[in-house]
Amino acid sequence: MAKKLVIKVTAGADAPERCSQAFTVAAVAVASGVDVSLWLTGESSWFALPGRAAGFELPHAAPLPDLIDSILAAGRITLCTQCAARREITEKDVIEGVRIAGSQVFVQESLADDTQALVY
């Protein structure tokens, strides 16, 4: 098993099952002791903002705010630089603990030794 897991979620409320799967896998991996880096891109970018995850609903799925809290407790959440800029989201707007970084950092994390990358 990879010691590190990088997950890129490209979907938000526009594709709720895919979105929820990404957050769920990230939270389960964190709970299992895996070093997790979750990347928010596209429509999932909105979940970097306080309160936005509370409006996300999917039957039989864990609440998104709870998943985000568990990921941030022991993992990392990053908002894509370009995605943030397109939505006029800045560092001062995001949930505490969420960073904004670009493709270079994503590639560096994804290609590190003992790392598995997943895209949802």
Side-chain angles (χ1 to χ4, degrees):
M1 179 165 77
K3 295 179 183 174
K4 299 175 190 167
L5 183 60
V6 177
I7 299 172
K8 179 185 269 194
V9 55
T10 63
D14 59 327
E17 287 185 294
R18 190 162 30 113
C19 177
S20 180
Q21 288 172 353
F23 281 93
T24 300
V25 168
V28 168
V30 165
S32 299
V34 177
D35 180 5
V36 173
S37 178
L38 178 72
W39 283 73
L40 306 177
T41 66
E43 285 303 300
S44 71
S45 300
W46 296 114
F47 298 129
L49 297 175
R52 291 301 281 267
F56 180 87
E57 292 184 17
L58 182 63
H60 309 290
L64 202 53
D66 294 349
L67 295 173
I68 290 171
D69 288 346
S70 66
I71 296 163
L72 284 173
R76 215 167 23 265
I77 297 180
T78 304
L79 172 59
C80 162
T81 301
Q82 290 180 4
C83 298
R86 280 191 281 277
R87 290 160 181 81
E88 298 182 0
I89 299 171
T90 67
E91 291 275 348
K92 66 180 175 55
D93 300 318
V94 300
I95 297 167
E96 185 177 341
V98 172
R99 68 177 176 167
I100 297 177
S103 297
Q104 179 183 5
V105 177
F106 176 78
V107 170
Q108 182 180 30
E109 285 185 6
S110 298
L111 295 178
D113 290 340
D114 296 323
T115 300
Q116 174 70 50
L118 303 173
V119 178
Y120 286 87

